[in-house]
């Protein structure tokens, strides 16, 4: 049981909030841990929301970051409330019901809000976003076999939802405003393969299309009016057009923000005793003087631990290599590092239908690697690719491209 009334406060009971609370206890904090979250759920992981939860292979309980008993045994106080205001000078938080909480150190783990479309009909009950368990609980029952689903957005979430809806036997049309899927997040060749994979699995993919309005029909289904003049018919529209970092609390408190909360290497914000981590944090890149923001499981998992140690007075530096994966059908996509910093790309075909694109900067140093292929077919190669990017060494491009040369030998 907590021995004192000193409080470590965490705003946002998502992946970061939960893992940070756990880490505080593991690191020996014996005071109170107040984990305050606007959602009614204990911390859970979001990746299954667009995948196994939608296909019915996983239950909501199985998405939990830990079991309810583990939180209880650790004495983590889960407070379901929206934090309305933060006063860094007084070290206080104001909760939605007007209650005030005094903290010793604070972690802002507020994640992001799903971006919404600002077009007529966007608030119709059949137009949904996917960010939370409650969103998934609304979407799941609508993915009945034969249902007409229109997915807006050809990014990771949109594509994963499309794959899950196909697995449930829905009729799926995906519309994307750009000229290719996945924006600039992956090499064009991988985006093209993802496109072909979805078409092979029966998704109608429409590029360079944007919705203009949703009109409700008498039977409660929707007409999706596109800017091109075309009209699609939908039982449900699922919008996956990214998130806005939830930095409003920090901004109102005078903490430095720039589309996210600015933090230093130690994940400390511009206010003493206040840290930020996860989707909301804009942190220094390990590759240069610029800052980045990551919306990934790995970032949430690893930043939470560093932030928790530093809340307790540590000065750990966050130096993790960015990395994420996306599962679609029987394929997987993985990206490590910051491919956008690359000046030159080298393709390696390790076999089994996989491909890995390595990105080298102007100095020939590895800054990124993106892999795509059947799940498992390139897991080992990708693990080594991550290690190579982690080292940031200059590597002979010909060796990288040659599958006969073992990546391990280049480490
Ligand atoms: C559907 C989906 C699929 C994903 N799939 C993958 C994947 O395959 N691979 C991958 O690497 N990553 C994936 N991600 C990304 C990953 O899940 C996120 O990066 C991670 O959840 C971020 O954690 P977080 O704690 O920063 O934010 P969140 O998990 O969003 O938690 C933030 C919490 O803060 C709360 N909050 C905000 N403001 C306040 C306030 N003022 N008061 C109280 N509470 C507040 C919110 O309600 C929310 O519960 C996926 C995300 C989603 C949504």
């Amino acid at each position: 049981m907590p021995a004192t009334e000193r409080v470590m406060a965490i705003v946002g009971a998502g992946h970061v909030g939960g893992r940070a609370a756990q880490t505080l206890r593991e690191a020996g904090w014996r005071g109170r841990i107040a984990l305050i979250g606007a959602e009614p759920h204990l911390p859970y992981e979001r990746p299954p929301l667009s995948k196994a939860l939608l296909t019915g292979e996983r239950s909501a309980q199985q998405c939990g970051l830990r079991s309810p008993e583990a939180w209880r045994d650790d004495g983590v106080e889960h407070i379901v409330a929206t934090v309305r205001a933060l006063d860094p000078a007084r070290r206080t938080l104001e909760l939605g019901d007007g209650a005030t909480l005094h903290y010793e150190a604070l972690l802002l783990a507020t994640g992001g809000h799903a971006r919404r479309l600002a077009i007529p009909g966007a608030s119709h009950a059949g137009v949904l976003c996917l960010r939370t368990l409650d969103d998934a609980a609304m979407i799941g029952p609508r993915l009945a076999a034969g249902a007409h689903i229109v997915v807006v957005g050809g990014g990771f979430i949109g594509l994963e939802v499309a794959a899950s809806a196909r697995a449930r036997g829905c009729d799926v049309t995906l519309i994307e405003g750009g000229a290719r899927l996945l924006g600039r997040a992956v090499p064009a060749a991988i985006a093209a393969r993802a496109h072909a994979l979805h078409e092979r699995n029966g998704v109608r993919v429409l590029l360079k299309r944007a919705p203009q309005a949703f009109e409700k029909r008498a039977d409660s289904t929707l007409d999706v009016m596109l800017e091109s003049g075309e009209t699609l018919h939908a039982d449900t529209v699922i919008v996956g057009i990214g998130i806005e970092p939830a930095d409003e609390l920090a901004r109102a408190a005078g903490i430095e923000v720039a589309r996210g909360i600015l933090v230093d290497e130690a994940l400390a914000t511009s206010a003493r005793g206040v840290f930020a981590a996860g989707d909301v944090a804009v942190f220094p890149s390990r590759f240069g003087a610029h800052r980045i923001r990551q919306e990934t499981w790995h970032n949430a998992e690893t930043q939470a631990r560093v932030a928790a140690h530093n809340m307790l007075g540590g000065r750990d530096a966050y130096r993790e290599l960015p990395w994420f994966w996306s599962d679609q059908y029987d394929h997987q996509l993985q990206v490590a590092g910051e491919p956008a910093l690359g000046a030159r790309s080298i393709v390696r075909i390790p076999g089994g239908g996989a491909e890995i694109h390595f990105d080298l900067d102007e100095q020939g140093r590895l800054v990124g690697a993106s892999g795509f292929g059947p799940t498992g077919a390139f897991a080992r190669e990708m693990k080594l690719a991550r290690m190579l990017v982690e080292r940031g060494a200059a590597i002979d491009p010909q060796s990288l491209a040659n599958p006969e040369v073992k990546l391990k030998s280049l480490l």
Side-chain angles (χ1 to χ4, degrees):
M1 279 298 285
T4 72
E5 282 306 293
R6 291 161 63 201
V7 181
M8 287 288 152
I10 301 170
V11 181
H15 188 155
V16 169
R19 196 62 85 210
Q22 177 186 354
T23 308
L24 285 168
R25 229 13 130 222
E26 285 169 0
W29 175 251
R30 300 199 57 226
R32 285 177 61 193
I33 300 173
L35 177 60
I36 310 155
E39 291 184 63
H41 310 285
L42 283 166
Y44 60 89
E45 297 183 90
R46 291 180 204 269
L49 302 190
S50 47
K51 313 175 189 76
L53 190 72
L54 282 191
T55 56
E57 290 155 280
R58 226 197 252 201
S59 67
Q61 283 92 325
Q62 289 169 324
C63 298
L65 201 57
R66 302 167 83 201
S67 69
E69 295 75 35
W71 299 114
R72 201 193 45 220
D73 294 349
D74 270 354
V76 172
E77 296 170 48
H78 179 226
I79 302 169
V80 179
T82 299
V83 174
R84 228 166 35 190
L86 152 65
D87 184 338
R90 290 202 167 86
R91 297 202 176 210
T92 55
L93 293 174
E94 185 188 319
L95 275 51
D97 62 0
T100 301
L101 183 80
H102 187 270
Y103 62 80
E104 188 154 321
L106 170 68
L107 175 61
L108 295 172
T110 47
H113 309 293
R115 204 176 283 143
R116 306 206 171 240
L117 286 166
I119 59 173
S123 57
H124 188 284
V127 181
L128 301 167
C129 300
L130 178 53
R131 178 74 192 172
T132 66
L133 257 182
D134 292 352
D135 294 337
M138 299 244 282
I139 292 170
R142 288 170 167 266
L143 302 186
H148 294 277
I149 305 295
V150 170
V151 177
V152 179
F156 296 106
I157 305 281
L159 291 175
E160 289 177 2
V161 168
S164 299
R166 284 298 299 140
R168 297 273 305 269
C170 301
D171 171 87
V172 182
T173 303
L174 182 139
I175 59 178
E176 159 59 41
R180 52 175 265 198
L181 297 178
L182 293 167
R184 310 221 65 75
V186 300
I190 291 185
R193 282 192 64 186
H195 189 144
L197 175 71
H198 279 270
E199 289 191 333
R200 261 199 327 275
N201 280 279
V203 175
R204 187 153 70 112
V205 180
L206 303 176
L207 299 176
K208 298 191 205 164
R209 304 292 208 297
Q212 199 169 40
F214 302 108
E215 282 182 13
K216 191 173 160 185
R217 288 189 182 182
D219 62 358
S220 282
T221 61
L222 294 160
D223 278 332
V224 182
M225 330 289 283
L226 304 185
E227 284 175 5
S228 59
E230 297 154 289
T231 299
L232 306 173
H233 177 231
D235 294 301
T236 300
V237 175
I238 302 165
V239 180
I241 54 170
I243 64 164
E244 290 299 331
D247 60 10
E248 58 275 3
L249 193 61
R251 187 182 316 117
I255 293 174
E256 279 182 43
V257 296
R259 287 215 70 240
I261 304 172
L262 293 178
V263 293
D264 65 12
E265 261 199 344
L267 306 180
T269 71
S270 61
R272 260 179 91 83
V274 182
F275 297 81
D279 283 13
V280 78
V282 181
F283 60 97
S285 160
R286 55 182 278 145
F287 290 106
H290 62 289
R291 291 178 195 241
I292 56 172
R293 197 171 60 74
Q294 291 275 298
E295 297 168 10
T296 70
W297 183 97
H298 182 72
N299 183 64
E301 180 69 21
T302 51
Q303 286 197 340
R305 295 180 190 277
V306 169
H309 281 123
N310 293 345
M311 288 169 82
L312 298 176
R315 275 302 293 178
D316 293 2
Y318 185 75
R319 301 286 300 155
E320 282 285 324
L321 185 74
W323 171 71
F324 73 88
W325 81 93
S326 172
D327 293 317
Q328 295 162 34
Y329 311 100
D330 53 355
H331 276 56
Q332 192 174 64
L333 194 157
Q334 289 192 41
V335 178
E338 292 182 53
L341 301 178
R344 179 175 175 200
S345 180
I346 309 291
V347 186
R348 178 180 178 93
I349 310 288
E355 61 189 273
I356 298 180
H357 295 244
F358 287 97
D359 303 282
L360 305 175
D361 69 5
E362 303 279 1
Q363 287 76 43
R365 290 175 314 173
L366 259 182
V367 287
S370 310
F372 182 81
T375 305
F378 65 112
R380 201 182 131 71
E381 286 272 295
M382 195 63 206
K383 198 171 168 197
L384 292 163
R386 276 173 74 184
M387 290 165 82
L388 283 169
V389 181
E390 179 106 49
R391 302 248 166 123
I395 295 180
D396 167 38
Q398 279 179 358
S399 305
L400 273 181
N402 183 357
E404 302 290 317
V405 177
K406 295 214 176 317
L407 287 183
K408 203 171 177 186
S409 71
L410 303 176
L411 274 171

